[in-house]
Amino acid sequence: NALPNWTSQLVSRLERYKRYPSEAQSRGETGVVRLAFSVDRSGGVHDVRIVGSSGSRVLDTETLSLVERAAPLPEPPPELAGRNIPVVVPIRYNMR
């Protein structure tokens, strides 16, 4: 149960720091960026990269900035083995 709980905390933290760039909003750009990174035992973020583009340079660039703003992230649970835990999350940008 630790992994889904941690993943939920991680996504919640990223959502809290997400910004929808006004440039993308004014053009009506939407999309999903698949963001990959690893989290160390202290919640530090490493090896941030996009593994699936939204199709918008502005949204992709914002997503890379997002993870840096949100750091440090929640610490991984002890049940997860390894020094750095790999993560891939979708970051959605929708017009409301």
Side-chain angles (χ1 to χ4, degrees):
N1 211 14
L3 179 61
N5 192 20
W6 178 65
T7 303
S8 176
Q9 290 174 4
L10 224 161
V11 170
S12 291
R13 182 156 180 94
L14 291 172
E15 283 295 321
R16 198 169 345 162
Y17 284 87
K18 182 171 79 173
R19 297 179 188 153
Y20 204 138
S22 58
E23 181 182 350
Q25 282 184 338
S26 67
R27 289 192 236 168
E29 294 178 355
T30 62
V32 178
V33 180
R34 288 183 36 85
L35 180 66
F37 54 91
S38 60
V39 181
D40 67 26
R41 290 285 160 197
S42 301
V45 177
H46 305 277
D47 194 25
V48 179
R49 64 205 181 283
I50 291 173
V51 294
S53 173
S54 65
S56 163
R57 177 192 52 76
V58 176
L59 295 178
D60 291 353
T61 301
E62 165 54 26
T63 301
L64 292 173
S65 300
L66 157 66
V67 76
E68 300 301 328
R69 278 195 310 275
L73 297 174
E75 296 176 5
E79 296 87 339
L80 292 176
R83 281 189 12 219
N84 291 315
I85 311 303
V87 177
V88 178
V89 293
I91 306 295
R92 288 176 171 70
Y93 296 91
N94 300 316
M95 300 296 282
R96 293 188 178 168

